[in-house]
Amino acid sequence: MEYVSALLPPVVMAAFFIGLVVTIVKSQGGPNKAKEDAVVDAALARAEAARQADGSTAS
């Protein structure tokens, strides 16, 4: 019976990880994809503008 208690935690963690990956894959795209992409693009543009205004040139 010790082998069951030794294998149970990795099996449970693997099942949760698989569920997490499936959830992430299913949530990609969809009707809000354009809105999410626009938010990310705006955040990157703000960060770039702030970096240029700061005078930083680090890449």
Side-chain angles (χ1 to χ4, degrees):
M1 255 338 201
E2 289 180 21
Y3 63 91
V4 173
S5 63
L7 289 177
L8 188 61
V11 170
V12 170
M13 288 189 333
F16 280 119
F17 182 72
I18 290 169
L20 176 66
V21 170
V22 168
T23 302
I24 290 171
V25 169
K26 283 185 177 182
S27 68
Q28 297 300 307
N32 292 327
K33 182 171 177 26
K35 186 168 61 173
E36 292 169 358
D37 288 347
V39 169
V40 171
D41 290 341
L44 290 174
R46 281 194 305 270
E48 180 67 21
R51 186 178 67 83
Q52 287 179 354
D54 231 5
S56 301
T57 56
S59 295

